[in-house]
Amino acid sequence: MEQSTHAGFFTRRFGPPPRDGAPNVVLVHGLGLSGRYFVPLARRLAAGGTTVFVPDLPGNARSRAVVRRAPRVGELAGALERWHRGLALGPSLLVANSVGCQVVAAFAARHPRLVRRVVMVGPALEPGAGGLRQCGRLLADAPREPLSLLAVAAGDYLVTGPVRFAASFRHALRDAAESFEGHLARVVAPTLVVRGEGDTIASREWTRRVARAVGDGRAAEVEGAAHAAHYSAPGAVAALIQQFTAGGQT
């Protein structure tokens, strides 16, 4: 793993250096977190020779100091676009978890030429569910996740800070209510929506709704996983992604 900073983003890279025309993957984390919980998946995807980038979004974890306040979802998508162009990556496979799916949906809707395919793992937040209900779903999911993930998340939340986290949560709720599904409708890249079968945050009905909202969308489930299926079942998620990028059915 190589670590560096690009456009203010703390960035991890797995696999070979990026090459013109070679496939690359960008992994986008969820609310208040860092890219650390994507490391197991990144290693598996890079094992096949793919270049994988795992940034910390501005205002979060090791990119916290890049901005003075918590960015809105649209601002995060804009920052991701500047980071992406600065690295001259070309069309990427974007893989996101939770609220990161909202960021990627905005990015893909606005910059379709930079997107090869999209994978959304446990897309959140569901419109109309309300803040208290969403918090309840998050608490219900926690016992279903590995203890090692809870430790990673707790450390990231402490670095990001409760004020930033609360502001980001409000921004994400507003985006879910006002913009997310509109962005999904404008995504032209083939999209796979993945759900852990035990996910209490992204319901089966909601993930299928997300897949239907995209012009070329499909849904899949991972047995024995919850909201962070990419962490608890990285091998299964990597296999789904590899099958999806090869053009196979999931």
Side-chain angles (χ1 to χ4, degrees), residues 34 38-39 46 51-52 73 99 111 139 142-143 146-147 174 183 186 198 206 224 243:
S34 74
F38 265 121
V39 169
T51 303
V52 183
V73 170
V99 170
H111 309 288
L139 292 173
L147 289 176
R174 176 171 292 182
H183 289 148
R186 293 165 54 199
W206 166 238
Q243 184 180 12

Side-chain angles (χ1 to χ4, degrees), residues 229-248:
H230 61 280
Y231 183 91
S232 58
V237 173
L240 283 173
I241 292 172
Q242 289 159 354
Q243 184 180 12
F244 173 58
T245 55

Side-chain angles (χ1 to χ4, degrees), residues 31 99 102 124-139 165-166 168-178 200-202 206 209:
L31 189 70
V99 170
Q102 295 176 225
L125 303 164
E126 184 176 348
L132 288 177
R133 187 176 175 189
Q134 299 283 10
C135 288
R137 290 177 174 182
L138 178 62
L139 292 173
F165 180 88
S168 296
F169 185 52
R170 290 194 299 271
H171 294 329
L173 284 172
R174 176 171 292 182
D175 179 82
E178 299 176 357
T200 63
I201 299 171
W206 166 238
R209 179 173 154 187

Side-chain angles (χ1 to χ4, degrees), residues 38-220:
F38 265 121
V39 169
L41 177 62
R43 287 175 172 157
R44 281 166 174 78
L45 294 175
T50 299
T51 303
V52 183
F53 291 93
V54 191
D56 288 1
L57 296 177
N60 294 270
R62 296 181 71 171
S63 297
R64 185 185 189 281
V66 176
V67 291
R68 294 183 178 181
R69 58 174 178 80
R72 294 176 173 83
V73 170
E75 292 171 330
L76 289 172
L80 187 62
E81 183 264 341
R82 292 188 294 274
W83 171 88
H84 190 282
R85 290 191 187 276
L87 287 170
L89 297 182
S92 298
L93 166 64
L94 299 176
V95 181
N97 172 243
S98 198
V99 170
C101 297
Q102 295 176 225
V103 177
V104 163
F107 178 94
R110 297 173 183 176
H111 309 288
R113 293 184 180 181
L114 300 182
V115 182
R116 183 163 53 94
R117 289 178 180 248
V118 175
V119 177
M120 298 185 178
V121 182
L125 303 164
E126 184 176 348
L132 288 177
R133 187 176 175 189
Q134 299 283 10
C135 288
R137 290 177 174 182
L138 178 62
L139 292 173
D141 185 76
R144 303 177 180 218
E145 304 287 1
L147 289 176
S148 56
L149 172 62
L150 300 182
V152 168
D156 288 344
Y157 290 147
L158 285 173
V159 174
T160 299
V163 174
R164 289 279 181 98
F165 180 88
S168 296
F169 185 52
R170 290 194 299 271
H171 294 329
L173 284 172
R174 176 171 292 182
D175 179 82
E178 299 176 357
S179 305
F180 185 32
E181 290 184 282
H183 289 148
L184 289 170
R186 293 165 54 199
V187 174
V188 296
T191 299
L192 173 65
V193 185
V194 179
R195 174 182 180 269
E197 66 172 351
D199 190 344
T200 63
I201 299 171
S203 67
R204 180 178 290 113
E205 179 182 356
W206 166 238
T207 53
R208 289 177 177 175
R209 179 173 154 187
V210 170
R212 290 194 301 268
V214 180
D216 184 4
R218 64 203 75 178

